[in-house]
Amino acid sequence: MNRFSLAVSAGIARVTEAALGPCQTAVIRIGFSATWLLFLLREFPHRHELYGPDGPWSWDLAQQLVGSNGSFTVLMWSDGRVWFEIVYALAVLSGVLLMLGWRTRTMSVLFMVGVLSLQNRSVFMGDGGDNVLHLMSIYLVFTRCAQVWSLDARRAVRERAARARGERVTDRTGPALWGGLGFVLVAVTLAGRMQGDWLIPALLWTVWVVQALWWLVGRRAGTGEPRIMLDVIANVVHNGALLVIMAEACLIYATAGWYKIQGSRWQDGTAVYYPLHLEYFSPWPALADLLSASGTMVMLVTYGTVLVQVAFPFTLFNRRVKNVLLAVMMTEHAVIAVVLGLPFFSLAMIAADAVFLPTGFLRRLGDLAARARDRLRRGGGGGRTPLPGPRTQESSEAAHVGFGA
C-alpha cells in the first residue's frame, strides 16, 4: 500500500509540477504553424476560388451548411471581399507569429480562429491533412508550447535577468493585446455573431478571462500561492492536451490501418499501385512508373503500410521499436509528399508524429540549429540573445511571461 501511495504521489507531482514534453510541444507548434503558413502562401493566388467570394462553393451555400452543422467561421460575418482579405491576412500573420513563438497564447487562439474560419468556409477543400490541422489547432490552445525555441522564452530570460538586477519589468504589449481582442470579442458577441455551436465561443471567452486572471494575480497578489495554483492548473491542462494529441495520432494510424485491412486491394497487396497511376496524384509520372514497375515492391509497400499503421500504437511500450517505426512513417510521408503530390498532408502528419520523437534527439537537433544560427550571426555581426533551449531554460520560466506562453 505504501508503494502504491508513493507511486500515486509521484505521478501527481509529475503531472502538476511541470509542463511535460517542452521540446515535443514546441516542435508541434512550429510544425503545424509552418504547414498552415506554407499552404496559405502557396494558395495565395487562388485564395478567392478556394475560400473567398469567387469559389464554386458560394457564400450562400456555406451559410446554409454552417447554419445546419453549427461550425465556427468568422468569414460568415460578411460576404465582402475586404473582410475576406483581412481574415486571410490575419491567418497568415498568426501563423508566422505562432511559429516564432511571440505572445504564443494569444497567437495560438488566433491561429485556431484562422484555421477554423477558412476550413469551415469551404469544407470540401482539403486532402486529409486539413482534418489533422483542424483538430491540432484546437489542442494547441491548451498547451504551453512556448517553453523552448520561442521569442516568449527568450523574453522570459531577459525579464528574469532584469529583475535580478533590480530593474522593474513592465509588460505593455500583453495587456494591449488582451484589451483589443476583448473589445472585439464583446462587440461580436453583442452583435449576435457568435451563433452555432457553443464550444469555440466558450473557449475564446475562457482564454480571455484566464489571461485577465493571470495578469491580475501577477500584479496584485500579495503572496505567491495564487500564482503557484495557476501554474499547477496550467500544467495539468497542458499535460492533458499533450496526452490527447498523442492519443489522436495513435487513433489516426490505428483506424487507417484497420480500415485498410478490410479492403480487398489491401488484402491482395495491390492497393499502392492504383493511386500511383491516377492523374491527380501523379505529379511525376516517370517516378510513379518506376516505383510501380516491380510487383514485389508494390506488395511489400502495401503490406508494410498496413503493418506499420496497425502496430504503431502498440510499439509505444518499447522505445526502440517505436523510434524505428516512427522513422519509417516519417519517411513514408516524405515519399507521399513527393510521389503523390500531397506535401501539406505529409507535413501535417509528420508534425503530428513529432510528439513521439525522443527528447534527446530533439535537444541535439536544437543544439545543431543553435550552432548554425550562431555561425550565421558571427558572419553577419549579429549579437542577439539566443532562443532558449531546454538546457538553458527551465519549464517554469516561460510560464511566468504573463500574456505569452
Side-chain angles (χ1 to χ4, degrees), residues 102-124:
W102 184 83
R103 304 290 169 172
T104 310
R105 181 68 65 206
T106 301
M107 290 306 122
S108 66
V109 174
L110 294 179
F111 176 78
M112 176 193 70
V113 170
V115 171
L116 297 184
S117 296
L118 290 172
Q119 289 188 352
N120 290 336
R121 165 63 176 84
S122 300
V123 295
F124 300 109

PDB file of all heavy atoms in Angstrom, residues 102-124:
ATOM      1  N   TRP A 102       5.820  34.175 -30.548  1.00  0.00           N
ATOM      2  CA  TRP A 102       5.623  35.522 -29.995  1.00  0.00           C
ATOM      3  C   TRP A 102       4.199  35.629 -29.455  1.00  0.00           C
ATOM      4  O   TRP A 102       3.238  35.423 -30.183  1.00  0.00           O
ATOM      5  CB  TRP A 102       5.841  36.581 -31.082  1.00  0.00           C
ATOM      6  CG  TRP A 102       5.744  37.989 -30.574  1.00  0.00           C
ATOM      7  CD1 TRP A 102       6.729  38.707 -29.964  1.00  0.00           C
ATOM      8  CD2 TRP A 102       4.604  38.860 -30.654  1.00  0.00           C
ATOM      9  NE1 TRP A 102       6.271  39.964 -29.643  1.00  0.00           N
ATOM     10  CE2 TRP A 102       4.970  40.090 -30.050  1.00  0.00           C
ATOM     11  CE3 TRP A 102       3.314  38.725 -31.164  1.00  0.00           C
ATOM     12  CZ2 TRP A 102       4.092  41.164 -29.951  1.00  0.00           C
ATOM     13  CZ3 TRP A 102       2.433  39.788 -31.051  1.00  0.00           C
ATOM     14  CH2 TRP A 102       2.829  40.994 -30.459  1.00  0.00           C
ATOM     15  N   ARG A 103       4.090  35.928 -28.143  1.00  0.00           N
ATOM     16  CA  ARG A 103       2.781  36.001 -27.477  1.00  0.00           C
ATOM     17  C   ARG A 103       1.969  34.754 -27.845  1.00  0.00           C
ATOM     18  O   ARG A 103       0.858  34.827 -28.386  1.00  0.00           O
ATOM     19  CB  ARG A 103       2.036  37.270 -27.881  1.00  0.00           C
ATOM     20  CG  ARG A 103       2.825  38.543 -27.613  1.00  0.00           C
ATOM     21  CD  ARG A 103       2.939  38.796 -26.136  1.00  0.00           C
ATOM     22  NE  ARG A 103       3.902  39.869 -25.838  1.00  0.00           N
ATOM     23  CZ  ARG A 103       4.088  40.392 -24.633  1.00  0.00           C
ATOM     24  NH1 ARG A 103       3.385  39.932 -23.610  1.00  0.00           N
ATOM     25  NH2 ARG A 103       4.967  41.335 -24.442  1.00  0.00           N
ATOM     26  N   THR A 104       2.546  33.633 -27.489  1.00  0.00           N
ATOM     27  CA  THR A 104       2.075  32.360 -28.039  1.00  0.00           C
ATOM     28  C   THR A 104       0.646  32.035 -27.651  1.00  0.00           C
ATOM     29  O   THR A 104      -0.107  31.470 -28.454  1.00  0.00           O
ATOM     30  CB  THR A 104       3.023  31.235 -27.584  1.00  0.00           C
ATOM     31  OG1 THR A 104       4.363  31.628 -27.846  1.00  0.00           O
ATOM     32  CG2 THR A 104       2.714  29.947 -28.326  1.00  0.00           C
ATOM     33  N   ARG A 105       0.266  32.328 -26.424  1.00  0.00           N
ATOM     34  CA  ARG A 105      -1.104  32.001 -26.021  1.00  0.00           C
ATOM     35  C   ARG A 105      -2.115  32.724 -26.899  1.00  0.00           C
ATOM     36  O   ARG A 105      -3.071  32.136 -27.407  1.00  0.00           O
ATOM     37  CB  ARG A 105      -1.317  32.383 -24.559  1.00  0.00           C
ATOM     38  CG  ARG A 105      -2.708  32.064 -24.038  1.00  0.00           C
ATOM     39  CD  ARG A 105      -2.937  30.575 -23.962  1.00  0.00           C
ATOM     40  NE  ARG A 105      -2.060  29.958 -22.992  1.00  0.00           N
ATOM     41  CZ  ARG A 105      -1.663  28.693 -23.009  1.00  0.00           C
ATOM     42  NH1 ARG A 105      -2.070  27.907 -23.981  1.00  0.00           N
ATOM     43  NH2 ARG A 105      -0.871  28.216 -22.076  1.00  0.00           N
ATOM     44  N   THR A 106      -1.890  34.019 -27.105  1.00  0.00           N
ATOM     45  CA  THR A 106      -2.801  34.795 -27.951  1.00  0.00           C
ATOM     46  C   THR A 106      -2.738  34.332 -29.397  1.00  0.00           C
ATOM     47  O   THR A 106      -3.771  34.169 -30.063  1.00  0.00           O
ATOM     48  CB  THR A 106      -2.452  36.290 -27.864  1.00  0.00           C
ATOM     49  OG1 THR A 106      -2.548  36.724 -26.509  1.00  0.00           O
ATOM     50  CG2 THR A 106      -3.392  37.119 -28.727  1.00  0.00           C
ATOM     51  N   MET A 107      -1.518  34.089 -29.893  1.00  0.00           N
ATOM     52  CA  MET A 107      -1.375  33.678 -31.288  1.00  0.00           C
ATOM     53  C   MET A 107      -1.954  32.287 -31.541  1.00  0.00           C
ATOM     54  O   MET A 107      -2.458  32.010 -32.633  1.00  0.00           O
ATOM     55  CB  MET A 107       0.103  33.711 -31.693  1.00  0.00           C
ATOM     56  CG  MET A 107       0.666  35.111 -31.799  1.00  0.00           C
ATOM     57  SD  MET A 107      -0.307  36.166 -32.888  1.00  0.00           S
ATOM     58  CE  MET A 107      -0.733  37.496 -31.746  1.00  0.00           C
ATOM     59  N   SER A 108      -1.898  31.405 -30.541  1.00  0.00           N
ATOM     60  CA  SER A 108      -2.489  30.082 -30.728  1.00  0.00           C
ATOM     61  C   SER A 108      -4.006  30.182 -30.893  1.00  0.00           C
ATOM     62  O   SER A 108      -4.602  29.433 -31.681  1.00  0.00           O
ATOM     63  CB  SER A 108      -2.140  29.174 -29.548  1.00  0.00           C
ATOM     64  OG  SER A 108      -2.734  29.631 -28.344  1.00  0.00           O
ATOM     65  N   VAL A 109      -4.621  31.124 -30.172  1.00  0.00           N
ATOM     66  CA  VAL A 109      -6.070  31.325 -30.320  1.00  0.00           C
ATOM     67  C   VAL A 109      -6.387  31.901 -31.695  1.00  0.00           C
ATOM     68  O   VAL A 109      -7.310  31.448 -32.380  1.00  0.00           O
ATOM     69  CB  VAL A 109      -6.598  32.246 -29.207  1.00  0.00           C
ATOM     70  CG1 VAL A 109      -8.072  32.578 -29.429  1.00  0.00           C
ATOM     71  CG2 VAL A 109      -6.420  31.589 -27.840  1.00  0.00           C
ATOM     72  N   LEU A 110      -5.634  32.906 -32.117  1.00  0.00           N
ATOM     73  CA  LEU A 110      -5.860  33.497 -33.432  1.00  0.00           C
ATOM     74  C   LEU A 110      -5.555  32.494 -34.545  1.00  0.00           C
ATOM     75  O   LEU A 110      -6.223  32.479 -35.589  1.00  0.00           O
ATOM     76  CB  LEU A 110      -4.995  34.745 -33.597  1.00  0.00           C
ATOM     77  CG  LEU A 110      -5.329  35.924 -32.672  1.00  0.00           C
ATOM     78  CD1 LEU A 110      -4.378  37.086 -32.924  1.00  0.00           C
ATOM     79  CD2 LEU A 110      -6.778  36.362 -32.854  1.00  0.00           C
ATOM     80  N   PHE A 111      -4.547  31.664 -34.326  1.00  0.00           N
ATOM     81  CA  PHE A 111      -4.229  30.609 -35.295  1.00  0.00           C
ATOM     82  C   PHE A 111      -5.410  29.656 -35.433  1.00  0.00           C
ATOM     83  O   PHE A 111      -5.811  29.291 -36.550  1.00  0.00           O
ATOM     84  CB  PHE A 111      -2.985  29.860 -34.820  1.00  0.00           C
ATOM     85  CG  PHE A 111      -2.598  28.687 -35.680  1.00  0.00           C
ATOM     86  CD1 PHE A 111      -1.946  28.879 -36.882  1.00  0.00           C
ATOM     87  CD2 PHE A 111      -2.867  27.392 -35.274  1.00  0.00           C
ATOM     88  CE1 PHE A 111      -1.572  27.799 -37.681  1.00  0.00           C
ATOM     89  CE2 PHE A 111      -2.511  26.304 -36.054  1.00  0.00           C
ATOM     90  CZ  PHE A 111      -1.861  26.512 -37.253  1.00  0.00           C
ATOM     91  N   MET A 112      -5.990  29.246 -34.309  1.00  0.00           N
ATOM     92  CA  MET A 112      -7.158  28.373 -34.341  1.00  0.00           C
ATOM     93  C   MET A 112      -8.319  29.036 -35.070  1.00  0.00           C
ATOM     94  O   MET A 112      -8.997  28.394 -35.898  1.00  0.00           O
ATOM     95  CB  MET A 112      -7.574  28.013 -32.913  1.00  0.00           C
ATOM     96  CG  MET A 112      -8.835  27.175 -32.818  1.00  0.00           C
ATOM     97  SD  MET A 112      -9.497  27.076 -31.140  1.00  0.00           S
ATOM     98  CE  MET A 112     -10.085  28.769 -30.925  1.00  0.00           C
ATOM     99  N   VAL A 113      -8.568  30.312 -34.795  1.00  0.00           N
ATOM    100  CA  VAL A 113      -9.660  31.029 -35.449  1.00  0.00           C
ATOM    101  C   VAL A 113      -9.437  31.076 -36.960  1.00  0.00           C
ATOM    102  O   VAL A 113     -10.365  30.871 -37.752  1.00  0.00           O
ATOM    103  CB  VAL A 113      -9.793  32.445 -34.871  1.00  0.00           C
ATOM    104  CG1 VAL A 113     -10.751  33.291 -35.707  1.00  0.00           C
ATOM    105  CG2 VAL A 113     -10.277  32.390 -33.423  1.00  0.00           C
ATOM    106  N   GLY A 114      -8.201  31.316 -37.381  1.00  0.00           N
ATOM    107  CA  GLY A 114      -7.900  31.355 -38.808  1.00  0.00           C
ATOM    108  C   GLY A 114      -8.108  30.009 -39.490  1.00  0.00           C
ATOM    109  O   GLY A 114      -8.693  29.929 -40.575  1.00  0.00           O
ATOM    110  N   VAL A 115      -7.615  28.949 -38.858  1.00  0.00           N
ATOM    111  CA  VAL A 115      -7.772  27.613 -39.430  1.00  0.00           C
ATOM    112  C   VAL A 115      -9.247  27.231 -39.540  1.00  0.00           C
ATOM    113  O   VAL A 115      -9.721  26.795 -40.603  1.00  0.00           O
ATOM    114  CB  VAL A 115      -7.009  26.574 -38.579  1.00  0.00           C
ATOM    115  CG1 VAL A 115      -7.352  25.160 -39.038  1.00  0.00           C
ATOM    116  CG2 VAL A 115      -5.511  26.796 -38.665  1.00  0.00           C
ATOM    117  N   LEU A 116      -9.992  27.402 -38.456  1.00  0.00           N
ATOM    118  CA  LEU A 116     -11.402  27.015 -38.463  1.00  0.00           C
ATOM    119  C   LEU A 116     -12.212  27.877 -39.427  1.00  0.00           C
ATOM    120  O   LEU A 116     -13.113  27.376 -40.113  1.00  0.00           O
ATOM    121  CB  LEU A 116     -11.982  27.137 -37.052  1.00  0.00           C
ATOM    122  CG  LEU A 116     -11.368  26.238 -35.974  1.00  0.00           C
ATOM    123  CD1 LEU A 116     -12.111  26.404 -34.660  1.00  0.00           C
ATOM    124  CD2 LEU A 116     -11.363  24.783 -36.407  1.00  0.00           C
ATOM    125  N   SER A 117     -11.895  29.167 -39.487  1.00  0.00           N
ATOM    126  CA  SER A 117     -12.671  30.067 -40.342  1.00  0.00           C
ATOM    127  C   SER A 117     -12.526  29.703 -41.807  1.00  0.00           C
ATOM    128  O   SER A 117     -13.519  29.618 -42.543  1.00  0.00           O
ATOM    129  CB  SER A 117     -12.227  31.511 -40.109  1.00  0.00           C
ATOM    130  OG  SER A 117     -12.509  31.923 -38.791  1.00  0.00           O
ATOM    131  N   LEU A 118     -11.308  29.465 -42.255  1.00  0.00           N
ATOM    132  CA  LEU A 118     -11.093  29.157 -43.667  1.00  0.00           C
ATOM    133  C   LEU A 118     -11.568  27.751 -44.017  1.00  0.00           C
ATOM    134  O   LEU A 118     -12.224  27.537 -45.047  1.00  0.00           O
ATOM    135  CB  LEU A 118      -9.617  29.332 -44.011  1.00  0.00           C
ATOM    136  CG  LEU A 118      -9.118  30.784 -44.012  1.00  0.00           C
ATOM    137  CD1 LEU A 118      -7.611  30.838 -44.160  1.00  0.00           C
ATOM    138  CD2 LEU A 118      -9.774  31.587 -45.126  1.00  0.00           C
ATOM    139  N   GLN A 119     -11.242  26.789 -43.164  1.00  0.00           N
ATOM    140  CA  GLN A 119     -11.632  25.415 -43.484  1.00  0.00           C
ATOM    141  C   GLN A 119     -13.144  25.218 -43.426  1.00  0.00           C
ATOM    142  O   GLN A 119     -13.711  24.520 -44.267  1.00  0.00           O
ATOM    143  CB  GLN A 119     -10.932  24.447 -42.529  1.00  0.00           C
ATOM    144  CG  GLN A 119      -9.440  24.324 -42.782  1.00  0.00           C
ATOM    145  CD  GLN A 119      -8.802  23.233 -41.961  1.00  0.00           C
ATOM    146  OE1 GLN A 119      -9.430  22.646 -41.089  1.00  0.00           O
ATOM    147  NE2 GLN A 119      -7.540  22.947 -42.225  1.00  0.00           N
ATOM    148  N   ASN A 120     -13.814  25.816 -42.447  1.00  0.00           N
ATOM    149  CA  ASN A 120     -15.262  25.657 -42.344  1.00  0.00           C
ATOM    150  C   ASN A 120     -16.008  26.462 -43.400  1.00  0.00           C
ATOM    151  O   ASN A 120     -17.183  26.207 -43.665  1.00  0.00           O
ATOM    152  CB  ASN A 120     -15.743  26.055 -40.949  1.00  0.00           C
ATOM    153  CG  ASN A 120     -15.320  25.068 -39.887  1.00  0.00           C
ATOM    154  OD1 ASN A 120     -15.069  23.908 -40.166  1.00  0.00           O
ATOM    155  ND2 ASN A 120     -15.236  25.531 -38.641  1.00  0.00           N
ATOM    156  N   ARG A 121     -15.343  27.431 -43.991  1.00  0.00           N
ATOM    157  CA  ARG A 121     -15.953  28.195 -45.085  1.00  0.00           C
ATOM    158  C   ARG A 121     -16.123  27.327 -46.320  1.00  0.00           C
ATOM    159  O   ARG A 121     -17.143  27.397 -47.014  1.00  0.00           O
ATOM    160  CB  ARG A 121     -15.080  29.425 -45.395  1.00  0.00           C
ATOM    161  CG  ARG A 121     -15.348  30.126 -46.720  1.00  0.00           C
ATOM    162  CD  ARG A 121     -16.760  30.698 -46.787  1.00  0.00           C
ATOM    163  NE  ARG A 121     -16.962  31.440 -48.026  1.00  0.00           N
ATOM    164  CZ  ARG A 121     -17.297  30.895 -49.190  1.00  0.00           C
ATOM    165  NH1 ARG A 121     -17.463  29.573 -49.271  1.00  0.00           N
ATOM    166  NH2 ARG A 121     -17.476  31.645 -50.251  1.00  0.00           N
ATOM    167  N   SER A 122     -15.124  26.502 -46.628  1.00  0.00           N
ATOM    168  CA  SER A 122     -15.186  25.609 -47.789  1.00  0.00           C
ATOM    169  C   SER A 122     -14.708  24.236 -47.343  1.00  0.00           C
ATOM    170  O   SER A 122     -13.514  23.920 -47.432  1.00  0.00           O
ATOM    171  CB  SER A 122     -14.315  26.139 -48.937  1.00  0.00           C
ATOM    172  OG  SER A 122     -14.750  27.415 -49.358  1.00  0.00           O
ATOM    173  N   VAL A 123     -15.624  23.436 -46.865  1.00  0.00           N
ATOM    174  CA  VAL A 123     -15.266  22.180 -46.208  1.00  0.00           C
ATOM    175  C   VAL A 123     -14.760  21.125 -47.190  1.00  0.00           C
ATOM    176  O   VAL A 123     -14.171  20.127 -46.764  1.00  0.00           O
ATOM    177  CB  VAL A 123     -16.479  21.620 -45.424  1.00  0.00           C
ATOM    178  CG1 VAL A 123     -16.850  22.536 -44.285  1.00  0.00           C
ATOM    179  CG2 VAL A 123     -17.676  21.422 -46.352  1.00  0.00           C
ATOM    180  N   PHE A 124     -14.977  21.322 -48.485  1.00  0.00           N
ATOM    181  CA  PHE A 124     -14.578  20.308 -49.449  1.00  0.00           C
ATOM    182  C   PHE A 124     -13.188  20.560 -50.022  1.00  0.00           C
ATOM    183  O   PHE A 124     -12.752  19.855 -50.920  1.00  0.00           O
ATOM    184  CB  PHE A 124     -15.607  20.240 -50.587  1.00  0.00           C
ATOM    185  CG  PHE A 124     -16.985  19.900 -50.101  1.00  0.00           C
ATOM    186  CD1 PHE A 124     -17.985  20.855 -50.096  1.00  0.00           C
ATOM    187  CD2 PHE A 124     -17.277  18.635 -49.621  1.00  0.00           C
ATOM    188  CE1 PHE A 124     -19.254  20.552 -49.643  1.00  0.00           C
ATOM    189  CE2 PHE A 124     -18.537  18.323 -49.162  1.00  0.00           C
ATOM    190  CZ  PHE A 124     -19.533  19.284 -49.170  1.00  0.00           C
TER     191      PHE A 124
END
